[in-house]
Amino acid sequence: MEEMKGPRLAPRKGKGGRWFVDRQGSVSFETREEAEAYIASQSAPGGVRSSANRFVVIAIVAAIVVGVGFYFIPGGTTDPKACGDETMAYVMSQKAVSRQLKAPGSAEFPLMPDAKVVRTDTCKFAVSAYVDAQNSFGAKVRSYYSADMEYSPDSRTWRATDVRIDR
């Protein structure tokens, strides 16, 4: 024999010609067939048993759809790792600074710990450091510089948006 859990649901006709399933009258239908279909869905093994369960399923599906949508939006990445790192911003700033020197081959930059690199936005960095290089007269002088660097994940290229050298 089958064990019954709770009272058996059966449709009953109520006021106004509507069909009700539970005793509180909170679930009503236009026709007896709709009420019986509801009862069948509630008692079917593995079926969705409540509106709370339906809500959870809908919320999970919506979260997956939104997450997948953000993943595939072009240029919509906010992952800092996809935008390079501070070390690469520093190395690329050295190339931008070298292009503005009188004797770029003589340039000597400090090691990374002596430079200051700050991520200012998702794919943007501010770099401050110094360079020792020969001037027009051949004398080696120290100049401090700052550079705003930007990485483009789509083209995988670095660009110096602003380079200032204090001479």
Side-chain angles (χ1 to χ4, degrees):
M1 279 188 37
E2 225 177 79
E3 186 179 322
M4 298 286 291
K5 292 184 181 176
R8 185 165 184 245
L9 295 176
R12 63 179 173 79
K13 193 163 192 169
K15 295 179 183 175
R18 299 211 34 102
W19 287 86
F20 294 93
V21 174
D22 61 357
R23 294 192 187 277
Q24 293 84 18
S26 61
V27 181
S28 68
F29 301 93
E30 293 284 328
T31 65
R32 180 182 180 95
E33 289 79 21
E34 289 175 344
E36 288 173 347
Y38 173 80
I39 291 170
S41 74
Q42 295 301 304
S43 60
V48 178
R49 297 201 179 262
S50 71
S51 61
N53 286 348
R54 272 189 223 119
F55 176 75
V56 169
V57 170
I58 290 171
I60 290 171
V61 170
I64 291 170
V65 168
V66 169
V68 168
F70 278 120
Y71 181 77
F72 286 106
I73 292 174
T77 181
T78 57
D79 180 15
K81 291 180 182 176
C83 290
D85 60 17
E86 286 81 1
T87 303
M88 191 54 113
Y90 175 57
V91 170
M92 299 311 282
S93 75
Q94 293 175 6
K95 292 185 180 220
V97 168
S98 291
R99 280 189 233 118
Q100 295 187 11
L101 297 173
K102 299 283 183 185
S106 69
E108 293 178 7
F109 293 90
L111 296 176
M112 181 69 186
D114 292 334
K116 181 179 178 186
V117 182
V118 178
R119 185 182 299 265
T120 59
D121 201 356
T122 305
C123 293
K124 296 180 180 179
F125 301 84
V127 179
S128 299
Y130 64 86
V131 59
D132 295 329
Q134 290 179 352
N135 63 11
S136 300
F137 301 105
K140 198 150 219 174
V141 294
R142 177 167 288 181
S143 301
Y144 290 88
Y145 75 90
S146 60
D148 294 332
M149 304 301 297
E150 183 175 8
Y151 180 72
S152 174
D154 295 333
S155 62
R156 296 181 179 171
T157 57
W158 283 91
R159 178 172 77 99
T161 56
D162 187 27
V163 177
R164 296 167 303 282
I165 301 175
D166 298 330
R167 298 174 197 217

